[in-house]
Amino acid sequence: MAEPSSSNRSSIDPSSNDNSPSPSSSGAPTDAAKKRTRASKPKVRTGCITCKIRRVKCDEGKPACLRCTSTGRTCDGYDKAALARYRPSDPNQSAELAREEFVRACEWNEALRAMRRIEADIDETETEKRLFARFRVATTDGLATHLCNLTAFWRRLNPSTGCQDGPVKHAVVALAAAYELFQHPNESVIDGVSRGDLEVLTIQQYNRSIERLQSHAGSSALESIHVTLVCCLAFISLETLRGNHDVAVTHLANGLRILQTLPESAFDCLADGSLFVCPSDGDSLNMPDIIQLFAQLERSSCFFTHGIQPVISDHGYRVRRFDDGSSDSLFPNELRARIAMSCFQHDVMTRLHEMAVVTAGGTETTAVFRSDPAQQEQQACLLARSVRVGALVANFFSPARFGMPDPTTPELVNLYLDLLYFRCAQFLVSEASSRFGDPFAPYHHKTTPLPSTENPTPPDHPDHLLSSILHLANSLSTALSPLSFQPSARSLSTLHTHLAGPLYLVAINTPDPDTRSAAVGLLAESLYQHQHQHRDAPGSSAGSTSSQKRDALLSALRRVIDGAVDGEREKKQVGGGGGGGGLLAAELPRALTGGAGCFPVLWDGLVAAGFGRV
């Protein structure tokens, strides 16, 4: 039961009753003055901003305090420090608490609060319709591929937006407005609407979506969970478009926390691993579709970092913890190859997060973990699967089976990217295991031999894997010219974004100076191509970048990357950085589109050097 407020305490507290005997009842006036002084309370520092400014006591009601709303004032919410004290820390919190936290985090976003009192004369109905139409055309044309990789989400959500629950409708209108602002960064008037008015409309629709989510925050109905998660996906994309990457990361973490409260049966769709690579053919967004989209975001943000817990990957890994790969056979087609590589990536990501958490617990916790036979067996199985699946992958990509296909065809881009990230996963788990020492060595599994018709198992030494990663990245970058897969609109993620992580991994870990130099140079080129994806295109209104200016920018990028690599290497030498052997960034990712954003040191260096949106 809540403690009675001070205003009502006199009616129920005998010590404050006038008829009760009191040592001060016959005392001097000074005693009464002391009593009045004693009745005062310390300042409450968790009140809303409005009450603090007015210097009045706040009742601290959520989402808006009664003292403000009852007097017709706007309650401007609570500061971040106060909000942190209200945030549940239990990872197993109920779905209701998780959704309430998500809504509360949105409600008191500083960027939203700053815009709350701005009003504009906008014909919202017509503007909404126009934004809907333009955004729907963009998703139909496939431009949403470059919008946080949520193509299926927008394509299947937009046709039924008018029938959706209120929060979803307003969230997508806000996203559509943010998309227009992102596509036209230098225009003061966009489709007949001033830039300022469009920014206000974005905030207004964002706020309305959050307000209508209040009715779903306290409900355990599956429909309410569904609506909240759909809005969460929209907010992630919206904040990424607006450049508020820290807020986008918060939305992703809250969404994953909500998913964590679902029953185990909700994740049955992960059993065979096909969800990681096969888009749904349905016309509506069901829970497996939402899980798939969060899995994409989870991998792009967690693969090279452990600042976010990989919730979905963990559910998939639970059924493969002791899979040593001995049951795998030759891949009959591209789909089976992609599933095997993707499952391994997600499993390695989960395992490295577990190891990072253990390492953060200290030397004693790490020692207990290493001596646990079950943990030793799991690590041995993952290493054995790395060798086994690696051999199967080498067989599948051999010229005898795969031929010499053109890697510039869209159908093969995802396959080659899966291969690139599979090699990264092999390196990460191999290096992390070696840093954990000998206790894992006796448990290495000898998997069933491959058929004699296969090529010999390729070397799995870390140096060989790093060379393989560099070779794959270089082949993709060379084969795919700057104009290949050139989006017709400004994009957040390109092929060059996906190359950044693997190349940075090579630069940090290779002992060979030439390999490091090649990785740094290719990474600088990839970042440059992503930043100038439209400026160098023929017919671009921005004009082409001169060769001299281009060389100067590339040299500046190389200096920033070399500085970040030196910093990462120093952390490795002193045992710093992430758990899992110091290979991963211990901080939250700086962006959810993968690439440089998953390496905080590199990201911060690029931003500090003035390279803008990276």
Side-chain angles (χ1 to χ4, degrees):
M1 187 178 201
E3 182 181 351
S5 63
S6 58
S7 61
N8 296 329
R9 190 168 293 147
S10 61
S11 62
I12 61 174
D13 188 351
S15 64
S16 61
N17 194 314
D18 292 338
N19 297 325
S20 301
S22 171
S24 62
S25 58
S26 59
T30 55
D31 293 333
K34 290 180 181 179
K35 182 178 180 180
R36 285 195 297 274
T37 303
R38 191 164 54 248
S40 64
K41 299 292 182 181
K43 290 184 177 180
V44 177
R45 304 187 183 277
T46 56
C48 74
I49 294 174
T50 305
C51 288
K52 284 183 178 179
I53 293 174
R54 296 177 59 217
R55 297 184 179 181
V56 298
K57 181 174 176 59
C58 179
D59 59 80
E60 301 181 34
K62 303 291 189 310
C65 76
L66 182 61
R67 182 174 287 275
C68 287
T69 56
S70 63
T71 56
R73 292 180 172 84
T74 299
C75 179
D76 285 325
Y78 304 83
D79 59 26
K80 289 184 177 179
L83 178 61
R85 285 190 286 273
Y86 285 97
R87 180 166 294 146
S89 57
D90 183 5
N92 297 318
Q93 61 185 308
S94 66
E96 292 84 352
L97 287 176
R99 288 197 302 282
E100 287 173 0
E101 180 180 352
F102 167 66
V103 172
R104 188 164 59 245
C106 298
E107 181 69 22
W108 307 124
N109 180 285
E110 289 184 359
L112 298 180
R113 188 168 65 237
M115 296 291 291
R116 188 165 291 160
R117 295 183 180 180
I118 297 178
E119 297 179 355
D121 185 15
I122 298 178
D123 183 358
E124 293 180 9
T125 302
E126 290 303 317
T127 303
E128 288 177 15
K129 290 180 180 179
R130 188 161 58 249
L131 287 170
F132 263 147
R134 291 170 66 91
F135 192 63
R136 188 171 174 183
V137 169
T139 57
T140 302
D141 289 344
L143 299 186
T145 302
H146 308 283
L147 185 61
C148 302
N149 298 322
L150 299 180
T151 310
F153 176 67
W154 307 123
R155 186 173 61 244
R156 290 154 62 191
L157 177 66
N158 277 339
S160 58
T161 301
C163 304
Q164 289 284 350
D165 198 75
V168 176
K169 173 186 174 183
H170 292 294
V172 178
V173 172
L175 177 59
Y179 182 75
E180 287 296 305
L181 290 167
F182 177 78
Q183 289 300 325
H184 307 281
N186 301 317
E187 297 182 18
S188 58
V189 178
I190 304 170
D191 196 22
V193 181
S194 73
R195 186 172 194 84
D197 286 349
L198 202 54
E199 289 174 346
V200 172
L201 178 60
T202 302
I203 299 297
Q204 288 176 336
Q205 294 294 320
Y206 198 169
N207 269 319
R208 288 179 184 176
S209 177
I210 294 170
E211 289 170 2
R212 283 158 177 75
L213 272 176
Q214 299 285 349
S215 62
H216 296 279
S219 172
S220 59
L222 184 60
E223 180 182 357
S224 292
I225 298 175
H226 184 278
V227 168
T228 305
L229 290 172
V230 169
C231 287
C232 185
L233 288 167
F235 295 162
I236 290 170
S237 298
L238 189 153
E239 294 290 13
T240 303
L241 284 171
R242 300 176 67 214
N244 297 330
H245 298 292
D246 55 340
V247 183
V249 171
T250 299
H251 284 318
L252 174 60
N254 285 333
L256 291 174
R257 250 195 308 270
I258 294 172
L259 285 169
Q260 198 172 19
T261 66
L262 295 177
E264 286 291 329
S265 58
F267 298 92
D268 290 345
C269 54
L270 301 173
D272 63 355
S274 61
L275 186 81
F276 294 137
V277 297
C278 299
S280 174
D281 296 328
D283 295 327
S284 60
L285 283 170
N286 299 315
M287 192 56 71
D289 304 312
I290 293 174
I291 291 174
Q292 182 187 53
L293 297 173
F294 272 102
Q296 293 175 8
L297 289 167
E298 182 182 78
R299 187 179 74 164
S300 68
S301 61
C302 297
F303 194 70
F304 294 111
T305 184
H306 56 76
I308 297 178
Q309 180 181 357
V311 172
I312 299 172
S313 297
D314 176 69
H315 280 277
Y317 183 47
R318 291 177 189 179
V319 300
R320 293 187 294 269
R321 285 188 181 275
F322 298 99
D323 178 7
D324 62 1
S326 59
S327 60
D328 293 331
S329 57
L330 295 177
F331 302 136
N333 51 45
E334 176 187 328
L335 176 62
R336 296 310 307 174
R338 288 196 64 201
I339 289 175
M341 290 189 290
S342 294
C343 285
F344 184 76
Q345 293 169 43
H346 283 272
D347 293 349
V348 167
M349 184 170 67
T350 302
R351 183 61 177 169
L352 292 182
H353 179 79
E354 292 177 349
M355 297 170 72
V357 171
V358 169
T359 303
T363 304
E364 184 177 351
T365 303
T366 303
V368 172
F369 177 84
R370 291 174 55 187
S371 62
D372 184 353
Q375 297 298 334
Q376 296 173 356
E377 184 77 357
Q378 286 182 46
Q379 195 70 13
C381 286
L382 198 58
L383 287 167
R385 181 146 62 103
S386 173
V387 175
R388 173 73 178 184
V389 176
L392 294 174
V393 167
N395 171 271
F396 180 77
F397 281 95
S398 64
R401 287 199 59 194
F402 200 62
M404 299 295 292
D406 180 7
T408 64
T409 56
E411 299 79 27
L412 293 177
V413 170
N414 286 332
L415 178 62
Y416 277 100
L417 285 175
D418 278 337
L419 176 60
L420 178 64
Y421 276 74
F422 171 70
R423 294 301 186 199
C424 290
Q426 283 186 296
F427 171 80
L428 288 170
V429 72
S430 173
E431 190 74 356
S433 298
S434 67
R435 287 172 180 266
F436 260 75
D438 292 333
F440 287 138
Y443 289 85
H444 282 207
H445 277 205
K446 295 184 179 296
T447 58
T448 305
L450 296 168
S452 58
T453 55
E454 284 203 46
N455 293 332
T457 301
D460 58 352
H461 188 275
D463 292 345
H464 179 271
L465 289 171
L466 291 174
S467 298
S468 176
I469 293 168
L470 179 61
H471 174 73
L472 280 168
N474 184 63
S475 298
L476 280 168
S477 179
T478 303
L480 300 174
S481 66
L483 299 182
S484 299
F485 302 101
Q486 183 68 40
S488 57
R490 188 180 178 210
S491 61
L492 287 165
S493 176
T494 64
L495 171 69
H496 300 288
T497 308
H498 297 296
L499 298 181
L503 289 169
Y504 191 62
L505 188 71
V506 173
I508 292 173
N509 292 281
T510 181
D512 180 30
D514 292 336
T515 301
R516 167 179 166 161
S517 178
V520 169
L522 193 54
L523 176 54
E525 180 69 31
S526 296
L527 293 173
Y528 175 86
Q529 292 295 346
H530 174 65
Q531 286 187 309
H532 296 77
Q533 54 186 295
H534 291 297
R535 300 178 195 176
D536 294 334
S540 171
S541 59
S544 59
T545 304
S546 68
S547 176
Q548 187 175 10
K549 184 177 180 180
R550 180 181 184 278
D551 292 343
L553 287 172
L554 285 173
S555 296
L557 278 169
R558 284 190 65 114
R559 287 194 295 271
V560 173
I561 296 169
D562 272 323
V565 169
D566 289 338
E568 300 279 16
R569 284 174 173 262
E570 289 177 5
K571 287 197 299 183
K572 283 186 62 179
Q573 290 176 355
V574 298
L583 296 165
L584 307 177
E587 303 174 66
L588 288 170
R590 297 291 193 264
L592 299 181
T593 51
C598 286
F599 295 96
V601 174
L602 176 61
W603 177 275
D604 292 343
L606 291 168
V607 172
F611 285 100
R613 190 185 295 272
V614 290

